[in-house]
Amino acid sequence: MFETLLMERDSRGVATVTLNRPQKHNAMSAQMIRELSQAAADLATDAEVRVVVLTGAGKSFCAGADLGWMQSQVESSAETRRAEARALALMLRAWNDLPKPVIGAIPGNAFGGGVGLVAICDIAIAAETALMALTETRLGLIPATIGPYVVAKLGEAQARRVILSARKFEAPEAVRMNLLSHAVSRDSLSAAVEAEVSLLLDCAPQAVASAKKMIRELSVKHDDTVMSRTIDALIDCWEGGEAAEGIRAFFAKERPSWQT
């Protein structure tokens, strides 16, 4: 059914969605974004699913945007870039609004859009050796479509600290910033996720869905207006010229003009 994802469900109603491009560190391509959107739609309407676990195959969770896809965006029209940004924004919203609890099982590094996927999880547990970073500003871009979810988790002060500088941070620090629920040894990750699954399975599924909806309604709204503003901000970055220079420099293994 999917080429970039694995999806399975056990007898308890626990569905596991695995980003399955380990050779690319599970970087998000346009196809993976489409398939994640479809997976969210399928899970939302599957009455047998009570809990969703989102994870990645191999050593990494998600390295962010696929580099080939990023490179193609340099040559794309503004309309194409806008359509791609909208597809990503809609996918993130679908997962954020999923009427089932989502547990992130983060086996390794998460960068850029991968941090966005961590942020849409209701509970996220990572291997303590995992590194994370919002790397977009190093390439002349901004974490726009993932921004509402990242800022909601981190708060403004921590978001400023890690977004502006694109600094790397380890899983224990991500716990302190509220991006992760907790960090454990990689060998303990499955057991830690299972402990959270067991707690959720003890709760009434419709009550859990209603509680999640209520929490979203009481929190900062991620509505169409916010989504449009993030897309516009990203397109402005692409049109400004720094993105083209930053991505070209990255592939050429050179320093862009803003790095000395």
Side-chain angles (χ1 to χ4, degrees):
M1 180 179 180
F2 297 123
E3 294 184 19
T4 68
L5 307 175
L6 299 175
M7 189 160 71
E8 55 187 2
R9 188 185 73 202
D10 68 18
S11 59
R12 302 173 300 169
V14 179
T16 300
V17 177
T18 304
L19 310 181
N20 192 36
R21 302 182 75 213
Q23 73 283 4
K24 297 288 188 180
H25 297 280
N26 301 318
M28 284 190 286
S29 61
Q31 181 178 5
M32 180 181 279
I33 292 168
R34 289 193 299 271
E35 292 185 0
L36 279 167
S37 292
Q38 185 60 57
D42 293 346
L43 293 164
T45 57
D46 189 336
E48 299 299 317
V49 172
R50 295 183 57 186
V51 179
V52 179
V53 176
L54 180 63
T55 190
K59 295 181 178 180
S60 299
F61 174 62
C62 177
D66 179 84
L67 293 176
W69 178 74
M70 288 282 288
Q71 197 169 29
S72 72
Q73 292 296 294
V74 174
E75 306 299 330
S76 296
S77 65
E79 292 76 14
T80 298
R81 292 172 184 157
R82 185 175 296 276
E84 296 282 358
R86 181 173 175 80
L88 176 58
L90 288 171
M91 179 275 286
L92 291 165
R93 186 162 73 177
W95 274 88
N96 189 66
D97 293 353
L98 195 69
K100 318 286 172 80
V102 178
I103 302 174
I106 315 302
N109 297 350
F111 298 130
V115 177
L117 289 178
V118 175
I120 55 85
C121 294
D122 300 300
I123 301 164
I125 306 168
E128 58 195 2
T129 54
L131 289 175
M132 300 184 179
L134 291 145
T135 54
E136 287 84 352
T137 56
R138 292 183 65 86
L139 295 174
L141 292 166
I142 59 174
T145 51
I146 66 173
Y149 310 104
V150 172
V151 174
K153 279 290 179 72
L154 298 184
E156 183 179 345
Q158 296 289 5
R160 290 187 184 203
R161 181 165 173 253
V162 298
I163 289 175
L164 302 184
S165 66
R167 62 183 290 272
K168 290 181 180 179
F169 51 96
E170 297 177 339
E173 186 175 359
V175 174
R176 295 193 292 273
M177 291 191 293
N178 293 321
L179 180 62
L180 296 175
S181 305
H182 47 290
V184 298
S185 69
R186 188 180 174 94
D187 290 342
S188 301
L189 183 60
S190 294
V193 170
E194 180 57 32
E196 298 291 345
V197 167
S198 296
L199 288 172
L200 289 164
L201 291 177
D202 283 341
C203 300
Q206 289 304 314
V208 170
S210 295
K212 182 170 178 177
K213 181 180 179 182
M214 178 195 70
I215 292 167
R216 291 200 318 273
E217 291 173 346
L218 293 174
S219 302
V220 177
K221 296 292 186 294
H222 304 318
D223 57 15
D224 287 345
T225 299
V226 171
M227 184 172 70
S228 294
R229 286 170 60 191
T230 64
I231 293 171
D232 288 344
L234 182 58
I235 298 305
D236 286 345
C237 284
W238 279 110
E239 297 299 314
E242 284 186 343
E245 180 185 350
I247 292 170
R248 182 204 61 77
F250 177 84
F251 279 100
K253 294 182 169 55
E254 299 173 353
R255 288 180 176 270
S257 62
W258 54 83
Q259 290 182 3
T260 58

